[in-house]
Amino acid sequence: GAGVSQSPRYKVAKRGQDVALRCDPISGHVSLFWYQQALGQGPEFLTYFQNEAQLDKSGLPSDRFFAERPEGSVSTLKIQRTQQEDSAVYLCASSLEAGVNGYTFGSGTRLTVV
Amino acid sequence: AQKVTQAQTEISVVEKEDVTLDCVYETRDTTYYLFWYKQPPSGELVFLIRRNSFDEQNEISGRYSWNFQKSTSSFNFTITASQVVDSAVYFCALSENGSGNTGKLIFGQGTTLQVKP
């Protein structure tokens, strides 16, 4: 597609529920990033994929967070047993090449845990 | 350690005023990139500029200009003759470009700019 598409746009989860957030990057983009943006804060890095390989997951806050990109295109960020502190906007970004070459961000998924 | 500081949390100006958004960064690397992004209420981060650490030339794009000063580790952003449509949250970001680096961005906390008619 023309841009990075994320779904759902909004998600309300009950505490303890598992959620899955989807990112459709721009076709052909090698690099894919997930960021977490808490209310009133800047985005914080979660994880990075180069094609299907997850090369950096140092930003994942706990083992409840898991991301995958099995075919090197669509990526899913899964959060198990959601907690209130997981409430945030989750942003996906993709880039044509590995490393720094300009990023296109999606509009994000706003997750609210109640 | 890498860090980006945007000391101004909120700025309010009247339309047609000039406004400067400050950004100070910290990095160990000699090679890095600096970015500015705009985040309107829709939530999407809109790319404004990327600057290589070796290029200290100031840049102007329409009403936007950027002042990169390596000596003070600052990369400030000025909007001339502000307009209501400039109202948004603006983020400064840093990416190190050393060997093996993934290019992940380190963002500041953002500056909310409100331009009143």
Side-chain angles (χ1 to χ4, degrees):
Chain A
V4 177
S5 178
Q6 292 189 247
S7 60
R9 188 77 173 89
Y10 302 94
K11 176 69 179 177
V12 178
K14 291 185 178 179
R15 190 166 49 182
Q17 189 178 356
D18 296 350
V19 298
L21 312 179
R22 178 187 170 103
C23 172
D24 274 281
I26 293 174
S27 179
H29 276 199
V30 169
S31 297
L32 186 145
F33 298 81
W34 283 98
Y35 290 85
Q36 179 191 57
Q37 186 177 16
L39 189 64
Q41 303 294 317
E44 293 191 355
F45 170 79
L46 293 176
T47 187
Y48 165 69
F49 290 87
Q50 183 176 322
N51 295 308
E52 69 279 2
Q54 189 175 20
L55 298 186
D56 187 346
K57 53 182 181 179
S58 61
L60 296 177
S62 77
D63 58 9
R64 296 186 296 104
F65 286 71
F66 172 77
E68 60 183 5
R69 192 185 185 198
E71 297 178 359
S73 54
V74 171
S75 177
T76 304
L77 177 66
K78 298 179 179 178
I79 308 174
Q80 298 177 322
R81 305 181 303 281
T82 51
Q83 304 294 316
Q84 283 193 318
E85 61 263 28
D86 300 335
S87 295
V89 174
Y90 290 85
L91 293 164
C92 177
S94 71
S95 174
L96 183 59
E97 296 177 15
V100 181
N101 194 39
Y103 309 86
T104 303
F105 280 83
S107 296
T109 294
R110 181 176 296 277
L111 173 65
T112 303
V113 181
V114 298
Chain B
Q2 308 163 57
K3 187 179 179 183
V4 176
T5 302
Q6 294 179 256
Q8 304 149 308
T9 304
E10 293 184 21
I11 300 177
S12 182
V13 299
V14 177
E15 205 170 21
K16 296 184 184 175
E17 284 186 18
D18 298 348
V19 58
T20 296
L21 310 182
D22 297 334
C23 173
V24 174
Y25 62 92
E26 296 174 30
T27 178
R28 299 165 297 202
D29 277 13
T30 55
T31 305
Y32 52 89
Y33 289 92
L34 295 165
F35 298 78
W36 276 94
Y37 282 89
K38 174 182 180 180
Q39 189 173 46
S42 60
E44 188 171 332
L45 282 165
V46 178
F47 169 82
L48 296 178
I49 191 172
R50 181 184 78 173
R51 175 52 50 86
N52 185 310
S53 56
F54 292 112
D55 180 4
E56 289 194 68
Q57 268 194 322
N58 291 331
E59 182 158 338
I60 298 175
S61 176
R63 296 184 298 107
Y64 296 169
S65 62
W66 291 269
N67 184 296
F68 177 29
Q69 292 199 345
K70 225 169 173 178
S71 59
T72 56
S73 297
S74 66
F75 186 44
N76 297 337
F77 172 33
T78 298
I79 302 174
T80 303
S82 59
Q83 299 176 1
V84 173
V85 293
D86 296 328
S87 297
V89 182
Y90 289 85
F91 290 98
C92 181
L94 164 73
S95 178
E96 294 179 344
N97 199 33
S99 173
N101 185 52
T102 61
K104 66 186 178 187
L105 296 173
I106 308 299
F107 286 87
Q109 291 203 316
T111 297
T112 299
L113 174 64
Q114 183 182 35
V115 181
K116 298 178 181 176

